[in-house]
Amino acid sequence: INNDLSAQLAGKAAQIQELKDNEEILTESLNALKLSFEEKESESQKDGESEKRRVKELEEKLAGLEKRCAASEDNGNEMVAVLQKKLDSVNIKLKKREEQLESSK
């Protein structure tokens, strides 16, 4: 049971980290696109409009990812608390069982 709880906890932590990594990648891409947009805007208004749409799309994707990351983090924290309680309960039962075995010797 402890291994299952630990595996679930590790899985959730990995998911949260993956979302954070994706958020960083999108943020870097967004910043690069913003810089690119500023350079191209001076060259051509037509090209600039296309970049504006792309930046807006990426900003919307980033906002969605930030919401998902926050929700996942909240869910992860809740799951950690639940799993910790289960783990504590299992450890208490295990300790009682060990004490029973010791006293029966």
Side-chain angles (χ1 to χ4, degrees), residues 71-89:
S72 180
E73 216 170 320
D74 290 344
N75 289 340
N77 290 338
E78 289 173 18
M79 186 169 211
V80 167
V82 168
L83 292 175
Q84 186 63 50
K85 286 179 184 177
K86 287 181 180 180
L87 183 59
D88 292 346
S89 174

Side-chain angles (χ1 to χ4, degrees), residues 1-56:
I1 293 176
N2 286 352
N3 288 340
D4 289 343
L5 295 175
S6 295
Q8 288 178 2
L9 199 59
K12 199 56 156 170
Q15 287 176 340
I16 290 170
Q17 187 58 48
E18 182 179 349
L19 285 171
K20 287 180 179 179
D21 292 346
N22 288 341
E23 180 182 2
E24 286 182 26
I25 290 168
L26 276 176
T27 300
E28 290 173 6
S29 294
L30 179 60
N31 290 337
L33 277 172
K34 283 181 178 179
L35 181 61
S36 173
F37 168 72
E38 291 169 4
E39 292 170 357
K40 288 182 180 182
E41 188 175 39
S42 64
E43 296 171 14
S44 167
Q45 186 63 25
K46 187 184 278 187
D47 290 344
E49 290 301 318
S50 175
E51 289 294 320
K52 279 183 183 179
R53 284 192 299 274
R54 181 70 179 136
V55 167
K56 185 175 180 177

Side-chain angles (χ1 to χ4, degrees), residues 52-62:
K52 279 183 183 179
R53 284 192 299 274
R54 181 70 179 136
V55 167
K56 185 175 180 177
E57 288 171 8
L58 281 173
E59 286 175 335
E60 290 170 357
K61 285 181 182 180
L62 180 60

